[in-house]
Amino acid sequence: MELSSRRKNQDAIHTFDEISKCMIIATHPRSGTHLTIDLLRKQFRDFQSWLWWGETLHNSYLDLDHLMRITKPYVSESKALNLLTRANIPLIKTHSFPSVIKLGAEHSELIRQIRQKAHIYYVVRDGRDVLCSVYLWKNAGCSLSEFIRQEENGLSRPRIWANHILSWLNEQNIRVLKFEHIIKNPHPVLNQIADEQGLEPLWAKPLLPQKKRLTGSRGEDYWLRLTRQLENTTIVGRKQGQKPPKWQQAFTREDCEFFHQEAGEVLIRLGYELSGAWAEAES
């Protein structure tokens, strides 16, 4: 953003109280969080924020989970307020369940204000692809079959994915976007957001933010981020440059049956499958 535009934004917005709404992008991890954030930043001027020299694009949005001290690095309320006053409509991301945010709002006036002002888009992605991506991102150190059966608080990974989606779909005034629609046909997605938010897209070409590959060199990659040669804020996993396995090839018959048992109803509800027949097909 040009210096004059940056100064204009600094002069126009002084406190979070002056901002009428903010935008929360909520997702299960590896479901298109940063793709959606970067698309909004690229195509709508109101979501664009100014940055100080030396700051990377990760300061163009607020990570609510850092503010709620769920994930590191933690963000102070003063830093959060600074980030929230850099755009006409500040962008906020979260991987938390809505119940966690409600609890946070009971203990923090800032989180209460965020929740009160927030327009929320929940981005969904086929859970089988999600877990394949999480598997690579975490560099799990076990087979994919073992990975999807690992439990947290007595729940398998597919069940946690399903519960995350159902918890958000049960909230009022939640707008849903599909990762696959954003990737394959962003034009109607942008029109949908424009209509719902009363905004005019910039229609910058190409429509999707470009993924300029990182080099693997810490110094070179920092320079790319510092000089804003990257359009995307994607957080790179531990297997940088590798692609996650395709579930169609990686899932065994038993894996398909297990996933359907744990989360098949959500796949069907979201339209990724019409029935449970996919889990019975020969792999």
Side-chain angles (χ1 to χ4, degrees), residues 78-136:
S78 60
K79 173 66 173 178
L81 282 167
N82 179 273
L83 297 179
L84 288 169
T85 54
R86 295 185 179 194
N88 292 331
I89 305 175
L91 288 167
I92 301 165
K93 66 166 273 192
T94 184
H95 294 314
S96 293
F97 281 75
S99 58
V100 175
I101 300 175
K102 290 177 184 176
L103 182 62
E106 294 177 6
H107 300 281
S108 166
E109 174 61 20
L110 177 56
I111 297 174
R112 187 193 68 78
Q113 286 188 57
I114 289 173
R115 187 165 170 262
Q116 185 179 48
K117 296 182 178 186
H119 290 218
I120 302 174
Y121 281 89
Y122 186 78
V123 185
V124 299
R125 184 184 184 188
D126 188 320
R128 296 161 293 190
D129 291 326
V130 168
L131 291 189
C132 284
S133 182
V134 174
Y135 172 71
L136 178 68

Side-chain angles (χ1 to χ4, degrees), residues 144-237:
L144 180 61
S145 293
E146 292 175 289
F147 181 74
I148 66 174
R149 288 168 172 79
Q150 290 175 351
E151 293 187 352
E152 182 178 328
N153 297 323
L155 299 176
S156 70
R157 293 187 184 276
R159 189 65 247 171
I160 293 171
W161 169 80
N163 285 354
H164 196 277
I165 288 175
L166 292 174
S167 69
W168 278 102
L169 295 187
N170 287 334
E171 291 291 299
Q172 294 183 343
N173 301 319
I174 299 298
R175 298 174 173 91
V176 177
L177 299 174
K178 271 192 174 181
F179 170 87
E180 294 81 3
H181 291 173
I182 297 173
I183 290 290
K184 294 177 181 177
N185 197 3
H187 196 282
V189 174
L190 289 171
N191 276 328
Q192 174 190 339
I193 296 169
D195 290 342
E196 291 170 346
Q197 299 302 320
L199 301 173
E200 182 65 34
L202 297 172
W203 300 115
K205 298 295 181 68
L207 294 181
L208 291 176
Q210 296 302 286
K211 289 185 177 180
K212 185 169 184 177
R213 292 290 180 186
L214 297 175
T215 66
S217 164
R218 180 175 297 181
E220 290 182 46
D221 291 345
Y222 177 72
W223 180 252
L224 288 174
R225 295 191 186 280
L226 185 67
T227 55
R228 321 249 170 84
Q229 296 181 51
L230 301 173
E231 280 192 315
N232 64 84
T233 59
T234 302
I235 297 175
V236 180

Side-chain angles (χ1 to χ4, degrees), residues 1-12 48-53 86 228:
M1 182 176 290
E2 294 180 359
L3 182 60
S4 59
S5 298
R6 188 179 73 183
R7 284 175 175 163
K8 181 180 179 181
N9 275 350
Q10 285 179 274
D11 292 339
Q48 295 175 358
S49 63
W50 56 266
L51 295 169
W52 294 114
W53 171 252
R86 295 185 179 194
R228 321 249 170 84

Side-chain angles (χ1 to χ4, degrees), residues 23 25 36-44 47 91 193:
M23 180 73 70
I25 305 301
T36 309
I37 287 173
D38 295 337
L39 179 67
L40 293 174
R41 287 178 43 254
K42 180 172 184 175
Q43 298 297 350
F44 295 96
F47 296 118
L91 288 167
I193 296 169

